[in-house]
Amino acid sequence: MAQLVVMYRAPKDPAAFDRHYFETHVPLAKRTPGLRKYEVSQGPVTTPAGPSAYHLVALLHYDDVAAIQKALASAEGQAAVADLQGFATGGVDILVFDTRAV
Amino acid sequence: MAQLVVMYRAPKDPAAFDRHYFETHVPLAKRTPGLRKYEVSQGPVTTPAGPSAYHLVALLHYDDVAAIQKALASAEGQAAVADLQGFATGGVDILVFDTRAV
């Protein structure tokens, strides 16, 4: 499997962020081809030492990194990426990698 | 479920990092109480725009954030945290959060 990890830094207006994220962005991202599972953080995103810089983390699961690249390059993926501009006002950090259980 | 996401920045000696990580750190972390699943990145950790600052990402799954806090506070968790000092020479970013599927 592979992970697209999307980490949203604290936005200017958290309530507006959440509304847009769940009403608009999640439906857009769910349309990307090859998506197997979509999880989001619930409640605060913390560190072992206290608060983190992040408001929300999304974990999108695909079969492999090639599938993530295909999803991001698709029309649906491009629409989801374009949508980020409108609500991810604190910035966003994205990681992509294949995974294996240990 | 909940996630402990451990993101290791590029270490000074990647081969030495990998050897220590898989031979010593994984067995230590696997002993933490409540661990349900342990995944690591395989191959490069990238971003949609190119390389990332990270060498390896670990995703440790527990039932909830309370279980993660208990795991980190346990003797086994403290041993795993202490072990970080010896090999995570590039630094490490850790996030903790509950998750839900959307």
Side-chain angles (χ1 to χ4, degrees), chain A residues 44-69:
Chain A
V45 178
T46 65
T47 78
S52 79
Y54 297 104
H55 175 66
L56 186 140
V57 176
L59 300 162
L60 289 85
H61 305 241
Y62 296 83
D63 285 345
D64 50 33
V65 162
I68 293 176
Q69 288 165 341

Side-chain angles (χ1 to χ4, degrees), chain A residues 38 40 42 46 96 98 100, chain B residues 40 42 46 96 98 100 102:
Chain A
Y38 189 167
V40 297
Q42 181 155 40
T46 65
V96 174
D98 282 306
R100 66 182 176 95
Chain B
V40 298
Q42 182 154 40
T46 65
V96 173
D98 281 307
R100 67 183 175 93
V102 290

Side-chain angles (χ1 to χ4, degrees), chain B residues 23-63:
Chain B
E23 287 177 9
T24 303
H25 193 72
V26 167
L28 283 173
K30 278 192 147 176
R31 265 179 231 135
T32 58
L35 179 65
R36 299 296 181 205
K37 190 176 167 189
Y38 189 169
E39 296 171 295
V40 298
S41 58
Q42 182 154 40
V45 179
T46 65
T47 77
S52 78
Y54 296 104
H55 174 66
L56 185 140
V57 177
L59 301 162
L60 288 86
H61 305 242
Y62 295 83
D63 285 346

Side-chain angles (χ1 to χ4, degrees), chain A:
Chain A
M1 293 293 290
Q3 291 271 343
L4 174 63
V5 182
V6 188
M7 299 175 281
Y8 294 95
R9 291 177 181 269
K12 292 185 179 74
D13 181 343
F17 175 101
D18 288 349
R19 203 162 46 238
H20 187 98
Y21 186 78
F22 290 102
E23 288 176 8
T24 304
H25 192 73
V26 167
L28 283 173
K30 279 191 147 176
R31 265 180 231 133
T32 58
L35 179 65
R36 298 295 180 207
K37 190 174 165 190
Y38 189 167
E39 296 171 293
V40 297
S41 59
Q42 181 155 40
V45 178
T46 65
T47 78
S52 79
Y54 297 104
H55 175 66
L56 186 140
V57 176
L59 300 162
L60 289 85
H61 305 241
Y62 296 83
D63 285 345
D64 50 33
V65 162
I68 293 176
Q69 288 165 341
K70 203 178 283 185
L72 289 171
S74 70
E76 295 85 351
Q78 289 297 301
V81 169
D83 182 58
L84 288 175
Q85 309 300 324
F87 74 97
T89 53
V92 58
D93 297 315
I94 304 178
L95 297 176
V96 174
F97 50 88
D98 282 306
T99 60
R100 66 182 176 95
V102 288

Side-chain angles (χ1 to χ4, degrees), chain B:
Chain B
M1 293 293 290
Q3 290 271 342
L4 174 65
V5 182
V6 187
M7 299 175 281
Y8 295 94
R9 292 177 181 269
K12 291 183 181 73
D13 181 342
F17 175 100
D18 289 350
R19 204 161 45 236
H20 187 97
Y21 186 77
F22 289 103
E23 287 177 9
T24 303
H25 193 72
V26 167
L28 283 173
K30 278 192 147 176
R31 265 179 231 135
T32 58
L35 179 65
R36 299 296 181 205
K37 190 176 167 189
Y38 189 169
E39 296 171 295
V40 298
S41 58
Q42 182 154 40
V45 179
T46 65
T47 77
S52 78
Y54 296 104
H55 174 66
L56 185 140
V57 177
L59 301 162
L60 288 86
H61 305 242
Y62 295 83
D63 285 346
D64 50 32
V65 163
I68 293 176
Q69 289 165 342
K70 202 177 287 184
L72 290 172
S74 69
E76 295 86 351
Q78 289 296 302
V81 168
D83 181 59
L84 288 176
Q85 309 300 325
F87 74 97
T89 53
V92 58
D93 297 315
I94 303 178
L95 297 176
V96 173
F97 49 88
D98 281 307
T99 60
R100 67 183 175 93
V102 290

